[in-house]
Amino acid sequence: YNTGKEVQCCFKHVFDEESTQASVFDRVGLPLVTDLVQGKNGLLFTYGVTGSGKTHTMQGVTKDGGIMTRAIDVIFNSVAELQTRKFQLKPDKLNGFEILSDCDAALERQQELVTNIKT
C-alpha cells in the first residue's frame, strides 16, 4: 500500500548484546508500567525476525525474569497499599449484616465452638 507520502521512522534506543534484562526493563517496561498504574494506556510491541530474542526479552529465565515478569512484579507491588483488608459479612437477625475483620470473625467462631462444647 503506497500513499505517496514519505514516512520517517527512527529508533529511540538500541540495546547491545551486553544489555541485561533489568536494563531493558528499566528503559522500556518501567515507564509503561508506571503510566499504567497511574491510569494511562500503554502498549509494548515486540517485532523481529525468528530467533532474534523477542520471547527471551519478554519472558526471561527463571532466575532473571523478562519484561513481563518484572512488569507484573511492579504492578502488584504498586497496588499492594491500595488493597483493602479482608472482611467477612455476618448476617444479623434484621435482614442486615455485620462487617467483621478476619481476626474478629475467627474469635467469634472460636467463642461459638466453646459455647457449643459446654452445652
Side-chain angles (χ1 to χ4, degrees), residues 88-109:
Q88 294 189 17
L89 302 177
K90 176 187 169 193
D92 65 18
K93 294 180 170 96
L94 302 171
N95 292 329
F97 57 88
E98 184 180 353
I99 300 172
L100 300 172
S101 69
D102 277 346
C103 182
D104 290 338
L107 284 172
E108 193 168 294
R109 282 192 304 270

Side-chain angles (χ1 to χ4, degrees), residues 1 15 50 95 102 109 113 118:
Y1 180 73
F15 295 96
T50 301
N95 292 329
D102 277 346
R109 282 192 304 270
L113 286 172
K118 291 180 180 178

Side-chain angles (χ1 to χ4, degrees), residues 11-16 19:
F11 292 101
K12 291 183 180 179
H13 188 81
V14 177
F15 295 96
D16 63 19
S19 297

Side-chain angles (χ1 to χ4, degrees), residues 4-47:
K5 295 180 182 179
E6 183 178 320
V7 177
Q8 292 185 359
C9 300
C10 65
F11 292 101
K12 291 183 180 179
H13 188 81
V14 177
F15 295 96
D16 63 19
E17 62 273 1
E18 301 299 318
S19 297
T20 64
Q21 292 283 26
S23 67
V24 172
F25 176 73
D26 289 345
R27 178 75 187 225
V28 176
L30 188 56
L32 287 171
V33 173
T34 301
D35 285 349
L36 175 75
V37 171
Q38 295 174 358
K40 298 177 184 174
N41 292 326
L43 171 68
L44 177 61
F45 180 76
T46 58
Y47 183 76

Side-chain angles (χ1 to χ4, degrees), residues 70-89:
R70 292 168 191 271
I72 290 168
D73 184 55
V74 170
I75 290 168
F76 277 93
N77 285 320
S78 297
V79 299
E81 73 240 12
L82 302 174
Q83 295 177 343
T84 62
R85 292 184 8 221
K86 288 187 178 182
F87 292 97
Q88 294 189 17
L89 302 177

